[in-house]
Amino acid sequence: MIWDSHIRNNVALAEFVAEVHRPEDAIDLGRTMLVLGKFVYPRLDVAAYVRQLDDLAESARAAIESEGQAAALAKYLFSARGANFQGNVQDYSDPRNSYLNELLDRRLGLPITLAVLYVEVARRLRIRAAGVGLPGHFIVQAWEPDGTVVRLDPFHEGVVLTEADCFELAAATARASHFEPQWLQPVGARYILRRVLNNLRNRGPAVLGVHGMIGVLERQLVLDPEQNGTAAMLGLLCATAGQRQRAADLLSQALQGDLDDDVRERAEVVLQAKLKEIAARN
């Protein structure tokens, strides 16, 4: 396990640790998604946004007092005649699409953030729902009161999906050539958090900036502390940001495990440089 002592001195990161170090079914997904974004929005009022989710559920309650509650909730949340949350088709790569507070403010998001919104509002209305991580596209699975399973696409106005539709989505977005039944299995909070962070990581420092990437990698390392590659990348970015001791600590730990050859070579070179700098300052 790679230990990053920086957690002790980083309030936002420590708050994220506290949220995810719970049993899977005890993680408050909506709250944790809001806490996740505090490295970008340090003054974010988590409680205020949680109240927005509560208020949204109350406003949706009247819209679903009919048969087909799961589909009715999707229609309310993702249509212009309802709450009008939409998939950001114009600027899919905008990192703001990954943050739940931005979704609540702008009404624009990615499939996964829209799915989180649905799941959190459904939970408040006692509608059973969960995310489903199709390759390349995230959807929702919900259960009607009679047990009927409904699959919904929040990114495309909450449309109801057949199994064939799900395969077409995977084929279109991830170039899947065959269907795997396990793709339709509901996923838990940690899976969703990992996928959100991976989406952000893929934007890279050119979009997020060095400190933004550090925030993403820190949270990935909290979720998966055995990932030497993540620790090495975090160490390299800390070195770029002038965090000599932290870079040296992370790189030293990462080099004790498995790394790709090119990452190992870079980590060794940077580690030696940082150790020399540290020694020169003592």
Side-chain angles (χ1 to χ4, degrees):
M1 177 176 177
I2 294 174
W3 171 246
D4 184 359
S5 60
H6 179 72
I7 290 173
R8 298 173 184 161
N9 303 315
N10 185 320
V11 174
L13 186 56
E15 192 175 353
F16 181 72
V17 171
E19 295 294 335
V20 300
H21 282 184
R22 307 173 190 266
E24 178 76 40
D25 60 1
I27 295 175
D28 184 324
L29 179 58
R31 177 178 174 82
T32 306
M33 279 282 291
L34 291 164
V35 168
L36 179 153
K38 289 186 76 172
F39 71 98
V40 178
Y41 309 96
R43 297 183 181 179
L44 189 150
D45 187 339
V46 172
Y49 282 100
V50 169
R51 287 193 295 272
Q52 284 194 43
L53 291 171
D54 296 339
D55 293 344
L56 189 58
E58 286 305 308
S59 65
R61 194 178 298 277
I64 64 170
E65 290 180 353
S66 62
E67 292 187 11
Q69 290 185 338
L73 177 58
K75 185 175 181 180
Y76 172 78
L77 289 175
F78 307 121
S79 71
R81 286 185 290 181
N84 200 29
F85 288 93
Q86 302 173 28
N88 193 349
V89 295
Q90 299 298 323
D91 195 359
Y92 191 91
S93 63
D94 186 335
R96 291 178 296 175
N97 296 330
S98 291
Y99 301 112
L100 185 56
N101 60 302
E102 287 282 6
L103 174 63
L104 288 166
D105 287 343
R106 301 165 65 231
R107 294 296 204 265
L108 292 172
L110 293 176
I112 195 165
T113 42
L114 292 162
V116 168
L117 177 79
Y118 181 97
V119 168
E120 283 298 294
V121 173
R123 177 171 66 83
R124 286 161 167 78
L125 297 173
R126 298 189 177 182
I127 297 173
R128 185 182 168 204
V132 174
L134 294 177
H137 195 78
F138 209 89
I139 63 169
V140 165
Q141 179 169 303
W143 288 261
E144 298 290 6
D146 64 1
T148 302
V149 173
V150 181
R151 296 187 182 94
L152 305 159
D153 184 357
F155 193 75
H156 296 110
E157 299 181 341
V159 64
V160 176
L161 301 169
T162 65
E163 188 172 296
D165 293 331
C166 292
F167 173 59
E168 287 182 12
L169 276 172
T173 57
R175 298 182 181 178
S177 60
H178 63 283
F179 179 75
E180 297 287 350
Q182 64 265 28
W183 290 347
L184 297 180
Q185 291 299 309
V187 297
R190 286 193 180 86
Y191 176 96
I192 291 172
L193 294 167
R194 287 185 179 101
R195 191 149 163 172
V196 168
L197 288 166
N198 196 54
N199 286 341
L200 287 166
R201 180 171 175 167
N202 288 338
R203 300 292 176 259
V207 174
L208 300 182
V210 170
H211 290 285
M213 276 296 292
I214 286 174
V216 170
L217 295 173
E218 286 172 336
R219 284 148 184 79
Q220 287 190 313
L221 200 57
V222 165
L223 287 169
D224 296 296
E226 308 294 339
Q227 293 297 318
N228 291 295
T230 298
M233 288 189 65
L234 179 55
L236 292 168
L237 283 169
C238 287
T240 300
Q243 301 174 25
R244 297 182 185 88
Q245 189 60 59
R246 189 181 183 203
D249 292 344
L250 286 164
L251 292 172
S252 295
Q253 292 182 77
L255 284 165
Q256 296 175 29
D258 293 332
L259 290 173
D260 292 341
D261 290 344
D262 59 334
V263 175
R264 178 174 293 277
E265 183 177 351
R266 289 172 59 204
E268 288 173 343
V269 170
V270 172
L271 174 59
Q272 292 307 311
K274 295 303 136 185
L275 290 174
K276 288 179 181 179
E277 291 175 12
I278 292 167
R281 292 173 64 88
N282 291 334

